[in-house]
Amino acid sequence: MDFALQMWGGLFYLSNKVFFALAEGKDPVRKRQLKIIGWSVYILGVPAWIIILLAKQNWIAASLELGGVPAMFLGLYCVWSKCRNAPVLFDRFAAFSTYFFLIFGTCYSIYDYGGLTSLSQFLEIIAATGFLLGSYLLAKNKLTGWIFFMLMNSSMAALMLVNAKYILAAQQGVSLCVVIYGFVTAITARDRIAATT
């Protein structure tokens, strides 16, 4: 079961990064198609990650996965509906969920462990920050979301190594490479567009 969960969560999250990275620099129609697929597989990978993280009592990381779901749906909605600005209530709900679950998971972890006492907690806090802010910023088409994803992938890879989840650690390492590629491609595409205007 553990192997199946790692494959499920790992492949869906890696696929998400691949589709996002491939979308950068494409024509608007193809970019939209790739981003719709990317947001969809992202959402479908969440349950596996939550189960794995809860089993290891990684409360912060599990809550960040749950808290990031509204931002994922916000990203999917914005791409699907071709809106430049998300509906205010949807945007606020995604932002609230992001910060609420980050605070909730951190507080519960501190309560459960009797303070910030383990390396895994620090890695979780870094991963949580990167995941939640990265998802939220990419949902709003902000390139800084890629940087937060780099932070998240690095710390999550280290956390998975600590938890002896080697498949997921490798997946996070590959995801980091894909995220770097996506960020560089996005910067190049933005600079190319700026040069032609």
Side-chain angles (χ1 to χ4, degrees):
M1 181 68 167
D2 183 65
F3 177 78
L5 287 170
Q6 287 191 64
M7 292 302 292
W8 171 15
L11 288 175
F12 276 71
Y13 270 33
L14 177 59
S15 297
N16 155 261
K17 306 301 181 302
V18 169
F19 285 118
F20 277 7
L22 291 175
E24 295 299 341
K26 297 289 188 283
D27 65 89
V29 172
R30 188 72 179 135
K31 182 174 186 172
R32 179 175 177 264
Q33 292 169 341
L34 290 169
K35 284 200 168 193
I36 287 171
I37 296 169
W39 284 114
S40 299
V41 296
Y42 206 10
I43 293 164
L44 293 173
V46 170
W49 276 95
I50 291 175
I51 293 166
I52 290 167
L53 293 167
L54 287 177
K56 287 292 186 178
Q57 293 184 300
N58 295 135
W59 307 116
I60 300 168
S63 67
L64 80 91
E65 295 292 338
L66 186 59
V69 171
M72 293 176 193
F73 276 106
L74 175 66
L76 181 60
Y77 173 82
C78 287
V79 174
W80 186 272
S81 66
K82 301 179 186 178
C83 67
R84 285 204 168 273
N85 297 311
V88 175
L89 287 178
F90 198 172
D91 186 31
R92 286 184 182 165
F93 176 71
F96 172 79
S97 177
T98 297
Y99 296 117
F100 173 80
F101 278 99
L102 179 60
I103 293 166
F104 173 79
T106 303
C107 290
Y108 190 80
S109 181
I110 290 169
Y111 166 77
D112 187 46
Y113 283 89
L116 290 173
T117 60
S118 71
L119 173 62
S120 68
Q121 286 175 294
F122 288 103
L123 292 172
E124 286 181 82
I125 289 170
I126 295 167
T129 302
F131 175 80
L132 291 172
L133 292 177
S135 297
Y136 181 69
L137 290 168
L138 281 179
K140 298 187 73 163
N141 276 322
K142 306 280 187 193
L143 293 183
T144 50
W146 287 109
I147 296 169
F148 282 101
F149 267 17
M150 290 178 212
L151 180 67
M152 179 267 297
N153 285 129
S154 302
S155 56
M156 191 61 84
L159 179 63
M160 291 300 103
L161 285 173
V162 168
N163 288 338
K165 302 292 183 192
Y166 302 114
I167 294 170
L168 291 177
Q171 176 267 319
Q172 290 293 317
V174 173
S175 286
L176 177 61
C177 295
V178 174
V179 166
I180 292 169
Y181 169 80
F183 179 67
V184 170
T185 304
I187 294 290
T188 304
R190 185 193 65 187
D191 291 347
R192 187 171 54 241
I193 290 168
T196 60
T197 56

